[in-house]
Amino acid sequence: MSNPPSCDFLPVNTFTVDQAQIRILQTIKPIKESETLELTQALGRVLAQAIIAPFDVPPYRNSAMDGYAVKSQGQTQGLQQFRMIGKSFAGHPYQGSVGAGECVRIMTGAVVPEGADAVLMQEEVIVQGELIEYQGSVRLKQHIRHPGEDLAQGSEVLASGRVLNAADLGLIASLGIGQVTVWRKPKVAIISTGDELKPIGQTLNAGQIYDSNRYTLRGLLQRLAVEVLDIGIVPDDPELLEATFKSALQQADVLISSGGVSVGEADYVTRLLEQLGQIDFWKIAMKPGKPLAFGRLGECAFFGLPGNPVSTMVTFLVLVRPALLTLGHYPVKPLAMTQAKLLSPVRKAVGRQDYQRGICHQDDTGQWWVQSTGLQESHVLRSMSLANCFIVLAREWSNIEEGAEVPIVLFEGLF
Ligand code: AMP
Ligand code: MG
């Protein structure tokens, strides 16, 4: 890939967040394989085949009201009388035919019997034993639902690409269809790299920390329809890294590693990745999360995220998440921004798009307010845990005063 253009605020070899997003999405192609699922397992999945109505819905003429099915016969004025000859209840149709001056007691949804062409609402008739009296004109087809009125046989009910919601599942069930063909879930392998990392359950020696990134990443991934392959921790050892990456990329559509892409440490990772595939090391004008490795290892897309826990989360949400959505055939929308007023000033240097952690609320008038969580360093994972939004500060902005309007991205639904 060629070098990004430079601009006023952008050092050479550095991408803006937007440029990085576009470049990543240009490389990612949606999954080609589909799978067939029971309807009960299909919530939130993407249809790979349209749903076609196998029959008319409703399948038969039925009543829209509780009342009486009659033959209207063009009778228009005055008092009309109908003799009750039977009943048609839901699931128990009347077997005979309705003639002039006759009626059948009918319930909502029940089959309108042969001969009948209108339904009188029960609230509009007077019942005199076996006789029903009705004042006024009867409109042909009144209160009758017709076959195919909702869906005609052979028509497309849901298009391919539809993300199935609860209403869709019911709609498909109403057609007697019990299985659907959806795109298979992308397989995403996660790897933590670093000599200092220990798995939970082992004692920490001097200079060691517990690996938290795999837990954060797993949580972020669980909000998406992907299959997670947890590869574990790999020390900063070229041979082990190579063996692990090679085996992971056989199994996954996407490989996400964290750590080992910072300056000074990246050398052998760079060499290894260049050996294995086409990988670019990018500087991105974002904070946190400046260094990132992205590219392809054979069929597998690779994201080398920075190891600092907040950087891992921010780069995942801003750069990896859209790629995974694309892979899974989901629509990719930018993270939804809301405007909020700052409750306290924020510090910022010109040059990078800053994703500060914020705590926001909406007041009675609907106005959003936001304040920083305080500590903003990229190793302070607690700032992500305390926060309920990002305060997104554009690259060209510097310090911002209290009371100023800033864009925020609510975390709800993201992780
Ligand atoms: P690196 O990107 O490898 O230079 O790591 C940057 C910082 O993030 C270092 O302080 C690492 O110890 C820390 N770090 C890297 N990976 C993890 C992880 N999986 N869990 C927690 N901290 C990590
Ligand atoms: Mg490291």
Side-chain angles (χ1 to χ4, degrees):
M1 285 180 199
S2 58
N3 287 339
S6 59
C7 85
D8 293 351
F9 301 109
L10 210 55
V12 200
N13 285 334
T14 301
F15 290 119
T16 65
V17 171
D18 289 352
Q19 286 170 339
Q21 280 170 336
I22 290 167
R23 280 176 167 254
I24 289 169
L25 292 186
Q26 278 170 347
T27 328
I28 300 287
K29 298 282 169 278
I31 296 268
K32 292 197 186 73
E33 300 87 42
S34 58
E35 61 182 343
T36 300
L37 290 183
E38 294 301 315
L39 199 48
T40 49
Q41 303 305 307
L43 182 70
R45 300 295 295 276
V46 186
L47 278 182
Q49 255 172 33
I51 302 289
I52 307 296
F55 49 75
D56 280 341
V57 179
Y60 45 81
R61 286 199 312 162
N62 69 90
S63 180
M65 295 287 171
D66 289 346
Y68 300 87
V70 299
K71 197 177 184 70
S72 65
Q73 281 240 315
Q75 298 141 327
T76 49
Q77 293 300 319
L79 184 73
Q80 299 173 49
Q81 287 190 326
F82 302 93
R83 190 172 53 84
M84 194 143 64
I85 56 167
K87 51 192 180 183
S88 180
F89 287 177
H92 302 279
Y94 177 71
Q95 299 299 346
S97 175
V98 179
E102 294 176 338
C103 72
V104 160
R105 176 77 171 125
I106 195 163
M107 292 298 158
T108 305
V111 177
V112 175
E114 231 183 272
D117 56 15
V119 168
L120 309 177
M121 276 171 71
Q122 66 185 21
E123 294 83 350
E124 293 177 353
V125 304
I126 296 164
V127 183
Q128 304 275 16
E130 288 296 288
L131 280 184
I132 302 304
E133 291 184 353
Y134 180 80
Q135 187 76 42
S137 63
V138 182
R139 206 169 22 88
L140 188 67
K141 298 183 178 178
Q142 72 177 32
H143 308 314
I144 293 180
R145 301 168 179 156
H146 290 273
E149 207 172 74
D150 297 353
L151 300 168
Q153 181 179 8
S155 65
E156 186 177 271
V157 183
L158 294 168
S160 169
R162 170 80 180 188
V163 182
L164 295 174
N165 65 26
D168 299 336
L169 298 184
L171 188 61
I172 296 168
S174 75
L175 300 170
I177 299 171
Q179 292 185 325
V180 286
T181 304
V182 296
W183 298 111
R184 78 159 166 82
K185 290 181 179 178
K187 293 184 193 126
V188 182
I190 52 176
I191 301 180
S192 290
T193 71
D195 280 345
E196 76 284 24
L197 301 178
K198 281 276 146 153
I200 299 170
Q202 290 189 14
T203 313
L204 293 183
N205 296 320
Q208 296 183 327
I209 57 170
Y210 286 118
D211 167 21
S212 59
N213 285 347
R214 272 183 306 130
Y215 292 85
T216 334
L217 283 172
R218 191 183 263 277
L220 287 158
L221 290 166
Q222 275 173 3
R223 288 296 181 119
L224 303 172
V226 300
E227 198 183 309
V228 181
L229 309 169
D230 190 342
I231 309 288
I233 301 170
V234 195
D236 295 316
D237 170 319
E239 274 164 30
L240 273 176
L241 272 171
E242 178 170 353
T244 313
F245 280 19
K246 272 186 173 163
S247 115
L249 63 91
Q250 299 299 322
Q251 309 164 52
D253 301 299
V254 179
L255 180 51
I256 305 175
S257 71
S258 69
V261 289
S262 331
V263 182
E265 202 182 355
D267 284 351
Y268 54 80
V269 179
T270 320
R271 246 178 282 131
L272 165 65
L273 292 171
E274 276 164 356
Q275 242 175 54
L276 294 180
Q278 293 144 350
I279 302 289
D280 278 344
F281 283 82
W282 292 358
K283 286 192 202 121
I284 303 177
M286 70 186 285
K287 191 182 172 195
K290 194 165 157 192
L292 182 110
F294 170 71
R296 298 206 75 86
L297 297 174
E299 290 297 295
C300 191
F302 176 83
F303 289 90
L305 306 184
N308 266 316
V310 180
S311 310
T312 302
M313 288 195 84
V314 174
T315 46
F316 178 91
L317 287 167
V318 175
L319 299 168
V320 185
R321 190 174 178 276
L324 296 179
L325 292 173
T326 302
L327 206 60
H329 294 254
Y330 290 88
V332 179
K333 290 175 243 149
L335 296 174
M337 302 246 196
T338 308
Q339 291 293 317
K341 278 192 176 153
L342 279 174
L343 285 162
S344 49
V346 293
R347 295 180 60 75
K348 172 170 188 307
V350 173
R352 291 203 267 163
Q353 178 149 313
D354 201 343
Y355 293 83
Q356 297 205 2
R357 275 71 69 209
I359 300 169
C360 66
H361 73 276
Q362 203 173 15
D363 69 19
D364 295 343
T365 70
Q367 172 70 49
W368 284 94
W369 295 91
V370 67
Q371 72 190 90
S372 162
T373 53
L375 290 174
Q376 290 292 340
E377 283 98 330
S378 58
H379 65 279
V380 186
L381 189 52
R382 194 167 134 73
S383 71
M384 280 300 285
S385 177
L386 283 172
N388 62 1
C389 68
F390 284 132
I391 308 171
V392 184
L393 305 173
R395 202 157 44 85
E396 58 276 18
W397 296 356
S398 54
N399 293 342
I400 302 178
E401 295 300 307
E402 178 183 334
E405 289 242 336
V406 289
I408 59 170
V409 170
L410 297 174
F411 287 168
E412 205 174 320
L414 291 178
F415 58 90

